[in-house]
Amino acid sequence: MSTTLAAGTSLDFTLAQQLTVIALCSLTAYISHMALAVFNDGVRPFLLDFIQGRTTRSATTAVSFGLSAGFIFGLGAPMALSTGVLNPWLVFLPTDILGMLAPRKWLAPILGAAWGAVVVFGLNGANNVAHDLPVDFLTAMQQMSTPILFLFTLFPVLAITKQFGRRWGGIAGVLELVLVVMTMKLWPDMFAGALAMAVGVLMLIGLAVSKDVRQRRADRAAGATDDVLPDDDPMASLFSASAARLRRYLPLFMVLGAGVCVLAQMHIFGGGEATSFLIAKGQYSEAAQVDFYRVFGFIPLIATTALASGAYGIAGFTLVYPIGYLMPNPFVAAVVGALVFAVEVLALSWIGKLLGKLPSVRDSSEHLRSAIGDTLQLAILFGSLMAANAMGGGLGILVVGGLYLLNEAMGRPVVRMAAAPAAVIVGGILLNILYWLDLFTPIKG
């Protein structure tokens, strides 16, 4: 399977695609202003104080900007420019900030629409300018696709090892390796890691459920009660109030679900790093698989933070991503996306109670998220150094690697996940300056 993208990836959108992005950015900024949902999981817990009036809009905006800016400029923009596919860091994180920043309800959707216009009209111009430079660092960044796609395959192995030990981790690792080799041999047109990831995630879930079932049987035999919150518990009361708040805005959430699902259906948007490269290559079913597996790592986090804060996720449980990729047309995607969000919001309380009874499954989601972060962190760093080598050889590696190490030494002003792609862009600009000063000769091919 080829993991190389064609040179000159385009961000030239059709009118329908442009209007969809602008409308969705407008809607998500409005929803953020209302503190009903944000994309950044780290911001969501801070919204409870804002909703209850214990903090100001400006203070909450500062938190949102501080937690999101690095991902927007260090990861979202570079990924979009290198793949030609939009992503949630570029589309939704800015509308988190703009919606919260807006002092008036009517201003939030205007600011969101303005950002959507910047995305659909501005990125293609920047893309064309960058590709015309002597050192084409955007084409070089496509080198990131191979390590991201293949190393991402290992995240279930890491999660199993962390939760269930080296023996199960070793078994999972050998099994995934066999499945990857078998897929490359028997189904060369299929993403090599698709089957391996499926088996790995199912193995993790099976081990977690089995452990919880055994523990519940042991607890019942010992006469222990279920691990659920009593009705008079303050947290139970908070969860109930938060779920009720979200249900009051169910029609608005259904419109949001429809919009996100339509955007995914248009195949100009990828829900993750690996997914963006798969969408760019037209491998939509494989992209749907990858984002479906990610869902298991985020449902407990999104459900518990939503119940604790009264604010949901802009993409919900992110199920609308893989569903959208597979929809036959935007109209069906809109209907299905709306229904998916309706089910998610209505089932939120039940999901919270269920997770209270499955501690090992909750732990699995945390290990999955951690493993996804670990694999992508290594893949993005390695891919960025490959891009540096492609655009500048040893000098490119020195500049990009040096910027990454400097960021580490300075206490990570740019978050680690975004630091390496940001370093590639800065390094690419620097190499072009050196070329214009006649101090550097670009590598051909």
Side-chain angles (χ1 to χ4, degrees), residues 26 47 57 63 65 112 156 171 201 247 249 265 304 307 367 426:
S26 178
L47 292 184
R57 182 173 293 279
V63 169
F65 181 83
I171 292 171
V201 170
R247 286 196 297 270
Y249 293 93
Q265 190 279 331
T304 52
L307 289 170
H367 288 300
V426 174

Side-chain angles (χ1 to χ4, degrees), residues 229 240 273 276 287 319:
L229 294 174
S240 177
E273 299 88 345
S276 293
L319 272 170

Side-chain angles (χ1 to χ4, degrees), residues 131-329:
H131 282 304
D132 289 337
L133 291 172
V135 179
D136 184 357
F137 53 86
L138 293 186
T139 297
M141 287 184 73
Q142 295 172 9
Q143 296 286 331
M144 295 170 63
S145 65
T146 300
I148 286 177
L149 288 173
F150 280 90
L151 287 176
F152 185 76
T153 302
L154 292 173
F155 78 87
V157 177
L158 268 62
I160 290 171
T161 305
K162 289 179 178 181
Q163 186 171 7
F164 296 103
R166 289 176 290 183
R167 182 170 67 90
W168 280 112
I171 292 171
V174 171
L175 183 58
E176 283 211 4
L177 178 61
V178 170
L179 291 171
V180 167
V181 173
M182 185 176 72
T183 302
M184 294 176 74
K185 182 69 175 179
L186 300 179
W187 306 290
D189 294 330
M190 177 180 172
F191 169 44
L195 182 59
M197 278 191 290
V199 172
V201 170
L202 289 173
M203 185 175 174
L204 175 65
I205 294 172
L207 289 169
V209 171
S210 175
K211 182 178 179 180
D212 282 336
V213 169
R214 289 196 307 271
Q215 185 61 49
R216 287 178 64 80
R217 286 175 180 168
D219 290 344
R220 279 198 297 268
T225 58
D226 288 346
D227 181 22
V228 295
L229 294 174
D231 292 336
D232 59 348
D233 188 285
M235 287 301 294
S237 176
L238 174 62
F239 282 13
S240 177
S242 296
R245 178 178 189 263
L246 296 176
R247 286 196 297 270
R248 285 199 301 272
Y249 293 93
L250 184 62
L252 188 59
F253 281 116
M254 292 177 70
V255 174
L256 175 62
V260 177
C261 200
V262 168
L263 183 65
Q265 190 279 331
M266 289 180 164
H267 300 146
I268 60 170
F269 175 91
E273 299 88 345
T275 317
S276 293
F277 286 107
L278 290 170
I279 292 290
K281 291 184 289 167
Q283 296 181 311
Y284 307 130
S285 60
E286 287 88 346
Q289 273 187 281
V290 169
D291 272 355
F292 180 72
Y293 303 143
R294 288 173 68 109
V295 169
F296 295 104
F298 287 89
I299 284 181
L301 172 68
I302 293 169
T304 52
T305 55
L307 289 170
S309 68
Y312 199 39
I314 285 294
F317 292 145
T318 71
L319 272 170
V320 286
Y321 294 162
I323 291 172
Y325 304 148
L326 302 177
M327 289 293 101
N329 59 66

